[in-house]
Amino acid sequence: MKNDYGPVWVIVEQRDCRIRSVSLQLMGQAQKLAAGLNTTVEAVLFGNLMEHHVQPLFAAGADRVFLGSNPQLAFYEPEIYVRAMVRLAQEHEPEIILLGSTAMGRELAPLVAARLQTGLTAHCIDLVLDENNILEQRIPAYGGLLSIICPQKRPQMATIAKGVFPIPEPDPNRSGEIIPVAVPEDMSPRLQTLEVVHEIPDEIPLESAAIVIAGGAGAGDPDGWRQIADLADALNAALGCTRPVVDEGWAPLESMIGQSGRMVSPELYIGVGLSGEQQHMVGITGAKVMVAINNDAKSPVFDQVDYGVVDDCREFVPVLIEKIKAYQKNQVTC
Amino acid sequence: MMKIVVCVKAVPDPQQACNIRIDPVTKTLMRCEVPLVLNPLDKNAMQAALDLKEQFDAHITALSMGPPDAEGIVRECLALGADQGILLSDRAFAGADAYATAYTLATAIAKIGPVHVIFCGMASSDGSTEWVGPEIASFLDLPVVTMVEEIVECRSLQWKVKASLAHGYRLMQVQLPAVFTVTRELNTPRALVFSGIIKARKKSIVRWGIDDLGVPAEAVGLKGSPTIVSKLTTTQSKREVNILTGTREEKATQLLQKLVDSGVV
Ligand SMILES: Cc1cc2nc3c(=O)[nH]c(=O)nc-3n(C[C@H](O)[C@H](O)[C@H](O)COP(=O)(O)OP(=O)(O)OC[C@H]3O[C@@H](n4cnc5c(N)ncnc54)[C@H](O)[C@@H]3O)c2cc1C
Ligand SMILES: Cc1cc2nc3c(=O)[nH]c(=O)nc-3n(C[C@H](O)[C@H](O)[C@H](O)COP(=O)(O)OP(=O)(O)OC[C@H]3O[C@@H](n4cnc5c(N)ncnc54)[C@H](O)[C@@H]3O)c2cc1C
């Protein structure tokens, strides 16, 4: 039986032979889309000695895995990866290609899309099929959700951050076909990776933190920012921020929460001195309790939280820290 | 001589971003009331070029595609020290997605002639896709390194640069000509100086339209864009806010109590 639609692809990422969680999350979504299109889910995976590490992809919904495995592919090597993926896509004509909004995905996606002469939607927070089976790629913008489509060109391509979709329940009985991909072993003469260095962050990772404190432009200056960081310390919380904070240089890009940053799902979220813009708020999913501290009673952030404090954060935060410390001391002595 | 092109985008002032809304009919941005400014990261891209010019014999072209009033940011780049400014402005270019934008910019770069280095910002503050730099590289068939945080070695045509990762970096070796997209960690952009502004007055800005680029109308702007905005939906919050009242002390006590009661602290 020939399908009307080409397969749904996920470009999978691995580190040290372990499939990264964002790829499994996308696999789950790919399976839903493929069901709607009555087509198959295919994963594209490059690495070294990966043969025994593909089962999680089948368990997460892949019907086939295109596997490129050789020493040159151990790390993301842009020129080789792009050449091989473009050739593979031209041969198999996928309907949809999904990539994680990771450092690799963000560079690889436009390089592949441009060579396939197709469109690419950045940092989607939802993917659904419209009434014509076209992929609606939703992004937050200007107080609402924009749907971007690529009506004519194929494949339809999108990047999605880690944490937008859940990891599907693995089905250990599922299996599939591994299709070896011959990937050129010669290095590109014009671009080479000499070294990849992963630093172990010493702060609490945002994604897994039970409490996330996010600070915004309302911090005002580095001193105001330090207070918010102290609040995070006092609560043993992970510290995140909005974009203006990154622009000001108070916190690194890695700690930005939102559409083009990180996705978090803590038990408790406290937003301090931020306005609740969609691009930030979509980064917080499924928080049990949400709190905002803002000096403007009319700020839209108050429509999106459970508890609101209307106050100058630079005055209020130190008082709150004091209360928290006093409470914690009591807990210990009792 | 080292030939450098810096791609610069005129964006609605990020400080006033909340005024921007989507036009419900055309589905494009209504940016009229918000003044256009130089995209913040493009200041870092310009600074990267100026730093090279201090070390080497270099020629800098600032290139922008945008509406006629994007001329202001091109002039700003001239005042910062660019030798030449080119503005791609034509009704036909309007409504471009990242693909059509990159195609148009790449066509202009090809027309400029052989260049060694193309700098872009990592992202714009409005569309913020991060696609334009790598897509320009694809159209020109050049190597690209995205998210450059340090230029480690640039004494020969073989550069070494550090590209940032979420935690860590990649050290890349790249043969010029090449495209680089830059992060704010790369440098600290210098402010405009008065003498620069005076000098820039004497420099003229080249304006190219679709005929100058010699491309078909179907390849640029909205027509040349594979992606389109299909609809805009509004979202509704599911939370009912409880605004805490009283003195500062009371509010802090109440808040802590609520957090303890709900079991999250
Ligand atoms: C395509 C795209 C992607 C984006 N992606 C992201 C993203 O991933 N993450 C992100 O965060 N942003 C993102 N943005 C930016 C986003 O649109 C907003 O501009 C940003 O989130 C606003 O940050 P903010 O709330 O800190 O600042 P503002 O909107 O300036 O709000 C500051 C708030 O602080 C309050 N305030 C001021 N002073 C005080 C004080 N002393 N005490 C208490 N409150 C005070 C003010 O009342 C105001 O509500 C993106 C934008 C675009 C266009
Ligand atoms: C909210 C929103 C979401 C969007 N989402 C998408 C999407 O998912 N896919 C898509 O294809 N388009 C999208 N667009 C359209 C796209 O943003 C623009 O049309 C745009 O022309 C180029 O992309 P960018 O601003 O994202 O640039 P980026 O790729 O983020 O910009 C990076 C760098 O490229 C250079 N550059 C970008 N534009 C120009 C220019 N006009 N002149 C000179 N240099 C330039 C600058 O150096 C800039 O720093 C979106 C637009 C908006 C407003």
Side-chain angles (χ1 to χ4, degrees):
Chain A
M1 190 189 81
K2 166 122 180 52
N3 284 319
D4 290 342
Y5 295 103
V8 179
W9 273 18
V10 176
I11 306 284
V12 175
E13 241 181 282
Q14 52 87 19
R15 186 182 293 170
D16 303 328
C17 288
R18 281 201 47 184
I19 310 284
R20 300 191 66 178
S21 58
V22 65
S23 303
L24 297 174
Q25 293 163 356
L26 295 185
M27 205 60 72
Q29 190 63 16
Q31 204 177 18
K32 285 190 193 149
L33 296 171
L37 296 173
N38 192 23
T39 185
T40 51
V41 177
E42 299 180 347
V44 179
L45 171 60
F46 291 176
N48 188 32
L49 302 173
M50 284 304 296
E51 286 78 2
H52 300 297
H53 303 276
V54 293
Q55 178 53 31
L57 294 175
F58 294 129
D63 299 303
R64 303 210 283 177
V65 175
F66 291 102
L67 181 65
S69 189
N70 75 45
Q72 308 284 34
L73 298 176
F75 300 109
Y76 164 54
E77 194 58 69
E79 299 252 297
I80 304 182
Y81 273 48
V82 169
R83 225 184 314 150
M85 284 180 185
V86 167
R87 205 187 302 142
L88 208 56
Q90 283 165 338
E91 197 178 322
H92 297 277
E93 303 187 337
E95 184 70 15
I96 294 171
I97 302 183
L98 308 179
L99 299 97
S101 289
T102 58
M104 172 181 117
R106 292 157 104 124
E107 183 176 279
L108 194 55
L111 294 175
V112 171
R115 283 176 172 80
L116 294 176
Q117 300 180 16
T118 192
L120 173 63
T121 307
H123 319 314
C124 302
I125 60 152
D126 202 7
L127 298 169
V128 293
L129 295 170
D130 75 4
E131 57 283 6
N132 302 315
N133 276 346
I134 288 176
L135 185 66
E136 238 188 63
Q137 306 160 102
R138 296 187 175 152
I139 59 166
Y142 313 110
L145 278 182
L146 274 188
S147 296
I148 295 186
I149 57 171
C150 181
Q152 253 115 48
K153 301 285 183 130
R154 291 294 175 271
Q156 305 164 86
M157 292 183 64
T159 64
I160 303 95
K162 173 177 164 186
V164 169
F165 298 115
I167 294 184
E169 192 60 45
D171 176 353
N173 299 320
R174 272 188 106 262
S175 69
E177 195 185 349
I178 297 180
I179 301 164
V181 185
V183 175
E185 288 200 32
D186 55 309
M187 296 296 277
S188 157
R190 50 183 209 177
L191 183 64
Q192 279 178 35
T193 310
L194 300 179
E195 193 184 9
V196 181
V197 175
H198 292 292
E199 284 146 9
I200 315 242
D202 44 9
E203 65 269 29
I204 303 165
L206 280 166
E207 277 89 353
S208 54
I211 304 179
V212 168
I213 310 290
D221 57 26
D223 285 337
W225 178 254
R226 227 161 289 134
Q227 290 180 349
I228 299 174
D230 289 345
L231 176 61
D233 270 348
L235 285 170
N236 200 20
L239 180 62
C241 69
T242 61
R243 190 150 82 186
V245 172
V246 177
D247 292 342
E248 292 292 340
W250 302 335
L253 182 62
E254 288 93 274
S255 63
M256 184 173 81
I257 295 172
Q259 184 205 359
S260 38
R262 306 194 99 85
M263 297 279 163
V264 299
S265 43
E267 294 263 296
L268 168 63
Y269 164 90
I270 306 182
V272 186
L274 52 82
S275 63
E277 272 286 335
Q278 283 297 304
Q279 286 100 351
H280 173 71
M281 299 308 285
V282 295
I284 305 118
T285 53
K288 190 167 152 199
V289 178
M290 294 185 68
V291 177
I293 301 166
N294 193 305
N295 64 356
D296 175 8
K298 291 203 197 71
S299 170
V301 75
F302 289 125
D303 299 332
Q304 306 172 65
V305 296
D306 305 295
Y307 300 108
V309 173
V310 182
D311 204 348
D312 181 344
C313 62
R314 302 166 58 96
E315 303 286 342
F316 180 77
V317 167
V319 177
L320 182 60
I321 293 173
E322 233 171 76
K323 299 274 177 215
I324 291 167
K325 290 200 167 143
Y327 170 78
Q328 287 165 338
K329 216 162 149 198
N330 256 332
Q331 290 294 98
V332 175
T333 47
C334 290
Chain B
M1 176 154 60
M2 183 187 279
K3 287 246 184 184
I4 306 169
V5 172
V6 185
C7 296
V8 292
K9 183 178 184 183
V11 296
D13 188 347
Q15 309 285 328
Q16 302 183 34
C18 48
N19 295 334
I20 308 169
R21 284 291 170 251
I22 302 276
D23 185 318
V25 182
T26 64
K27 308 272 176 63
T28 52
L29 278 185
M30 303 189 293
R31 33 181 65 157
C32 28
E33 312 116 80
V34 184
L36 293 176
V37 298
L38 182 55
N39 177 46
L41 282 173
D42 298 352
K43 293 185 183 163
N44 298 89
M46 263 307 294
Q47 189 60 47
L50 294 169
D51 288 345
L52 288 171
K53 200 177 164 167
E54 272 180 14
Q55 300 177 57
F56 308 105
D57 181 23
H59 179 275
I60 304 173
T61 302
L63 173 67
S64 185
M65 181 183 91
D69 50 341
E71 188 179 307
I73 66 132
V74 178
R75 191 156 296 283
E76 183 175 338
C77 292
L78 291 175
L80 285 167
D83 300 287
Q84 183 188 17
I86 302 176
L87 177 63
L88 309 176
S89 196
D90 196 308
R91 259 170 210 282
F93 298 155
D97 70 356
Y99 181 91
T101 300
Y103 173 76
T104 310
L105 291 170
T107 308
I109 294 168
K111 184 178 159 88
I112 290 169
V115 301
H116 298 96
V117 178
I118 299 163
F119 283 123
C120 290
M122 175 193 100
S124 70
S125 65
D126 57 349
S128 208
T129 60
E130 306 175 22
W131 305 153
V132 172
E135 295 206 337
I136 288 175
S138 302
F139 286 118
L140 295 173
D141 192 24
L142 295 178
V144 60
V145 183
T146 59
M147 300 186 73
V148 172
E149 60 177 21
E150 188 184 336
I151 297 173
V152 179
E153 174 59 62
C154 58
R155 310 233 136 248
S156 67
L157 291 180
Q158 182 104 257
W159 279 21
K160 287 196 181 106
V161 300
K162 269 189 191 172
S164 106
L165 295 174
H167 293 280
Y169 63 87
R170 298 182 287 153
L171 183 64
M172 308 295 292
Q173 175 170 291
V174 56
Q175 180 74 38
L176 301 190
V179 179
F180 302 91
T181 80
V182 310
T183 63
R184 62 180 302 287
E185 282 69 39
L186 179 62
N187 53 40
T188 309
R190 243 164 291 153
L192 274 178
V193 292
F194 188 65
S195 59
I197 298 172
I198 298 292
K199 265 193 232 155
R201 285 204 191 130
K202 296 200 201 85
K203 303 178 192 167
S204 65
I205 293 173
V206 180
R207 204 182 287 253
W208 287 342
I210 185 162
D211 294 336
D212 301 294
L213 294 188
V215 291
E218 300 76 57
V220 296
L222 195 56
K223 286 188 192 152
S225 297
T227 65
I228 55 168
V229 172
S230 71
K231 63 176 162 208
L232 177 65
T233 37
T234 42
T235 42
Q236 229 138 46
S237 167
K238 290 166 228 95
R239 295 187 193 251
E240 197 75 52
V241 69
N242 177 350
I243 299 278
L244 308 177
T245 52
T247 65
R248 189 162 282 147
E249 292 277 330
E250 286 164 359
K251 286 187 286 195
T253 307
Q254 280 181 61
L255 178 57
L256 180 60
Q257 195 56 51
K258 299 283 183 200
L259 300 183
V260 171
D261 290 349
S262 47
V264 294
V265 166

